[in-house]
Amino acid sequence: MSTTQRPRIGIIGTGAIGGFYGLMLARAGFDVHFLLRSEYSAVATNGLQLNSAVHGPLALHPVQAYKNAEDMPRCDWLLVGAKTSSNASLVPAITRAAADGAKVLLLQNGLAVEDELRPLLPANLHLLGGLCLICVHRAAAGVIEHQALGTVNIGYHSGPATAEERQQITADGAAMFNVAGVDAMAATELAEARWKKLVWNVPYNGLSVLLNAGTTALMGDLNSRALIASIMGEVVAGAAACGYQIPADFAAKMLKATERMPDYLPSMYHDHKHRRPLELHAIYAAPLAAATAAGCSMPRIEALYQALQFIDQRNTQN
């Protein structure tokens, strides 16, 4: 990908995910524009700082930062790093910042997030999903802590592209990240990739909140580790009922990979700690509904979801 061919990129939601990938792309020479809300003043004044165990300390200053999408230039790619609960409210910003035929890439967790956003977007926009395998969190306004990993799997969801064009778009998206030093690849089946990500997200996000623990403690206790394995098994069964066969050893590989990770507090833990709404619909309600419709029961996940709903309601009301 030469400099003359590089697209203009917009970041919609400059938190941990949007900030990390946007900073990496900007440092690689891409024309990157960041939409912010509460952190606009801090980032406009001090820039973005990344403390990475993988890439070392990195900074981007000045930052092409905007408070309103109306002030942004039209972008060829829009990377949405906000929580899925914000998607509907972000549609006006996405529409205003998108060039004709722009690619909208949702760097988000959960199931069916593209299905719910698609009807709200103009038909001329391409919609893609991106699964980020990364340990990252926001430490302060404009300050991002990156502990490990960073791979992005990109899949095409819908839009005005032929089958051949879809393959080229996902390949271009992966190449864009690769130029920035981020491992990325095209996912042939987006829904299957989302179910695979749920194998990790469903147990660790919820249990980090429920048990007030990071991955090291959760993996170090026999009872919590057994519960994690059982929950992973339910996700795999739910995926199979919906027509997606996850390899039999996939959950075991996730457990071993987590053991090798530095101690990590997932994003839902940080949302709970800062009294932000938990991302329960995309990570729990949507897969539960899909599995139930396919005739598959996931009782442990249902119980975890019910407990998290209680915690979330009490946390955001008090």
Side-chain angles (χ1 to χ4, degrees):
M1 181 179 290
S2 69
T3 303
T4 57
Q5 294 174 319
R6 290 185 179 181
R8 175 181 290 151
I9 301 167
I11 306 296
I12 308 295
T14 309
I17 292 293
F20 173 82
Y21 290 109
L23 183 149
M24 295 296 290
L25 289 161
R27 284 180 57 85
F30 288 92
D31 183 18
V32 184
H33 301 262
F34 297 81
L35 181 64
L36 302 107
R37 291 181 178 175
S38 60
E39 297 187 6
Y40 169 78
S41 295
V43 172
T45 302
N46 303 316
L48 286 170
Q49 300 174 51
L50 174 64
N51 301 315
S52 174
V54 178
H55 306 285
L58 301 175
L60 181 65
H61 188 60
V63 174
Q64 298 185 113
Y66 306 83
K67 228 178 184 180
N68 301 298
E70 293 88 343
D71 300 326
M72 294 176 67
R74 299 284 179 165
C75 297
D76 305 301
W77 282 82
L78 291 173
L79 277 52
V80 181
K83 298 294 183 181
T84 55
S85 53
S86 303
N87 281 358
S89 65
L90 290 175
V91 168
I94 293 172
T95 303
R96 291 188 187 105
D100 185 39
K103 292 82 177 176
V104 180
L105 176 61
L106 304 184
L107 299 176
Q108 298 176 325
N109 291 323
L111 191 68
V113 291
E114 295 85 9
D115 294 341
E116 295 177 7
L117 185 60
R118 178 74 265 179
L120 307 178
L121 293 178
N124 69 318
L125 298 184
H126 304 273
L127 183 59
L128 300 92
L131 286 304
C132 305
L133 308 177
I134 188 170
C135 297
V136 67
H137 70 275
R138 185 179 62 83
V143 181
I144 302 159
E145 300 289 334
H146 174 223
Q147 293 173 258
L149 308 175
T151 299
V152 182
N153 293 329
I154 301 172
Y156 192 97
H157 178 267
S158 57
T162 65
E164 184 177 347
E165 289 169 339
R166 293 182 179 202
Q167 291 181 354
Q168 186 60 54
I169 289 170
T170 54
D172 288 345
M176 183 172 71
F177 284 100
N178 289 332
V179 168
V182 174
D183 289 335
M185 62 196 75
T188 56
E189 176 51 68
L190 179 58
E192 180 179 303
R194 288 205 166 277
W195 274 106
K196 285 183 175 180
K197 184 74 185 295
L198 286 169
V199 173
W200 196 95
N201 272 323
V202 168
Y204 290 104
N205 271 285
L207 291 178
S208 73
V209 173
L210 199 62
L211 302 180
N212 189 31
T215 54
T216 298
L218 291 171
M219 294 301 292
D221 181 85
L222 292 177
N223 291 310
S224 55
R225 183 190 173 98
L227 179 57
I228 290 166
S230 296
I231 292 172
M232 285 183 169
E234 288 190 355
V235 177
V236 172
C242 293
Y244 305 106
Q245 297 298 324
I246 296 176
D249 62 345
F250 186 80
K253 288 181 177 179
M254 289 292 98
L255 289 168
K256 289 181 180 178
T258 306
E259 285 181 327
R260 294 192 297 268
M261 284 168 41
D263 187 32
Y264 179 60
L265 292 164
S267 60
M268 192 169 288
Y269 176 92
H270 292 284
D271 287 340
H272 172 66
K273 178 182 177 181
H274 294 286
R275 294 185 176 274
R276 296 188 291 259
L278 302 184
E279 205 171 8
L280 299 182
H281 176 75
I283 296 177
Y284 295 96
L288 279 166
T292 298
C296 178
S297 174
M298 300 191 293
R300 293 177 183 83
I301 298 174
E302 177 72 30
L304 180 56
Y305 175 48
Q306 290 170 333
L308 290 168
Q309 285 180 295
F310 174 83
I311 291 170
D312 187 41
Q313 185 176 24
R314 185 172 63 176
N315 199 37
T316 53
Q317 287 180 348
N318 293 342

